Amino acid sequence: MVDRPRTLRFALLVVALCALVGLFVWFATVEPDPERNHYPDGDDLGGEYDAHVGDRVAVGGTIVASDPAVLEVDHAHGTSRYELRNPPAVEEGQYVRVYATARPDYELVVDDAVVIDGWERQYMYGISILAALWVAARTARQWRFDANRLGFVPRPDSASSTAGDGRSMATADGGDRDG
Amino acid sequence: MADLLTHVLVAYVLATLASIRYEWISPAHVTAAMAGAMIPDLNRLELVVPPELVEPAVGIPISWTAFHTLGGSLLVVAIGVLCVPREYRRGVAAMALLGMASHHALDLLVTNPTGHTYPVLWPLSAYHPPTPGLYLSSDRWPAAVAGVAAAAAWYLRYRR
């Protein structure tokens, strides 16, 4: 016997997954367009720098020399180094994003920049990983996979917000905050 | 582009405060909102699976950045909603959308040297709207403020 709702659900799931893959492919074809405030980035410059000479560009990378300032940018085609003209005050190891004009010979004339210390980036990634682990732990504690229904369902004590027992709710959620 | 802890805490605050008014919102729903707030940052998959490694395998370039747009984020919400049985779908959809929307709302405020942010409405529009530049993803204070707000929301909901 065909289980109609289940078949429909899997069909929709496949459609959504295919559409998502389609967006991954489509987004990769989007070209910079200054009219829409979308400037060439590190990947674009790394691909063919000379095609972008004279363009306003938006590039991020690591400072590898400070006098003169040199920005090292990892991109899809490898790694490039750009000498910064009119740079902000920078030290080696800092992460810098610049809004700049591309000049011949890998020179970027900086219009505006954001400078981040190496440890600040590490903080950002560290705290973000902790957040992901927190949500994963909450999910594992509050949801389970129901093989009969082929889906994720809340575990009983996590779903009963209407039970009206404020104490038990407090315990259920309060415990999470330690984890 | 704010740090992920800020996003998750803000979703916790919004969902927990909403649960005071709407009793159907359970702790499991709050978690759905927090998970929803992580969706746009799935673009960080690029750190684990660089797109230039995928390209030779599939034959065409791809970009994980699509996750960090309305179109990509909505599709992930839809996929998540289809992974729960029918009676939970409305609640999970509402919560995941709340978390996902709060993520984009916060990221539209992030400082960028161009003065503009990212194409949030893509694929509807490729326009990068201007940003007020309130903070950087590496700033510490957004997570601190969100943490205090989360503690306050928890107190209001479960202790008062």
Side-chain angles (χ1 to χ4, degrees):
Chain A
M1 229 173 69
V2 179
D3 182 342
R4 281 254 177 90
R6 190 167 281 187
T7 310
L8 176 65
R9 188 175 151 206
F10 280 105
L12 287 172
L13 204 50
V14 170
V15 168
L17 282 167
C18 290
L20 187 59
V21 171
L23 288 191
F24 297 147
V25 174
W26 187 4
F27 199 91
T29 69
V30 174
E31 295 286 337
D33 179 0
E35 300 261 303
R36 298 192 168 98
N37 314 311
H38 178 192
Y39 303 95
D41 63 12
D43 287 343
D44 298 311
L45 293 189
E48 38 177 353
Y49 185 84
D50 292 341
H52 294 290
V53 168
D55 286 354
R56 287 290 186 83
V57 299
V59 186
T62 309
I63 296 293
V64 291
S66 53
D67 189 25
V70 175
L71 187 70
E72 185 173 276
V73 179
D74 289 328
H75 53 73
H77 314 278
T79 303
S80 300
R81 289 186 172 200
Y82 305 101
E83 199 168 308
L84 301 182
R85 298 281 172 220
N86 184 33
V90 287
E91 295 166 17
E92 279 179 43
Q94 285 179 321
Y95 179 85
V96 174
R97 269 186 299 142
V98 298
Y99 177 50
T101 306
R103 288 273 185 80
D105 296 326
Y106 295 85
E107 257 183 36
L108 301 178
V109 183
V110 178
D111 290 301
D112 211 339
V114 167
V115 181
I116 298 165
D117 282 335
W119 70 266
E120 292 183 298
R121 281 204 110 199
Q122 286 166 0
Y123 159 82
M124 176 180 77
Y125 284 118
I127 210 80
S128 296
I129 290 168
L130 284 182
L133 292 176
W134 180 31
V135 176
R138 276 186 69 112
T139 304
R141 191 173 306 133
Q142 298 173 347
W143 292 82
R144 66 182 177 84
F145 187 75
D146 184 332
N148 290 325
R149 312 202 59 196
L150 288 180
F152 292 89
V153 296
R155 292 181 192 274
D157 20 328
S158 304
S160 57
S161 58
T162 48
D165 183 355
R167 288 303 302 177
S168 77
M169 294 302 302
T171 317
D173 206 67
D176 288 339
R177 294 181 58 78
D178 303 328
Chain B
M1 287 176 280
D3 66 88
L4 194 54
L5 182 61
T6 300
H7 285 304
V8 163
L9 286 169
V10 166
Y12 176 89
V13 170
L14 295 175
T16 301
L17 291 181
S19 75
I20 296 173
R21 168 90 189 268
Y22 301 100
E23 288 200 342
W24 58 267
I25 300 176
S26 67
H29 283 112
V30 174
T31 301
M34 295 162 75
M38 293 175 59
I39 290 171
D41 278 354
L42 287 174
N43 68 348
R44 292 306 181 184
L45 199 57
E46 71 195 10
L47 300 176
V48 188
V49 187
E52 54 268 29
L53 287 190
V54 181
E55 182 179 341
V58 298
I60 36 175
I62 60 134
S63 172
W64 300 128
T65 310
F67 278 123
H68 210 287
T69 65
L70 193 63
S73 296
L74 279 174
L75 282 173
V76 179
V77 170
I79 290 165
V81 167
L82 287 167
C83 288
V84 300
R86 179 194 296 264
E87 68 267 30
Y88 301 113
R89 281 188 205 145
R90 275 184 115 157
V92 168
M95 290 293 105
L97 284 173
L98 174 71
M100 184 271 275
S102 72
H103 186 123
H104 284 297
L106 287 179
D107 276 1
L108 287 172
L109 310 176
V110 170
T111 306
N112 192 344
T114 67
H116 294 86
T117 144
Y118 63 98
V120 57
L121 294 179
W122 192 84
L124 293 180
S125 163
Y127 179 68
H128 295 228
T131 171
L134 288 191
Y135 44 77
L136 292 167
S137 326
S138 51
D139 283 345
R140 271 75 62 205
W141 67 262
V145 170
V148 170
W154 175 83
Y155 179 82
L156 283 174
R157 172 67 180 80
Y158 297 114
R159 281 286 180 266
R160 201 173 60 145

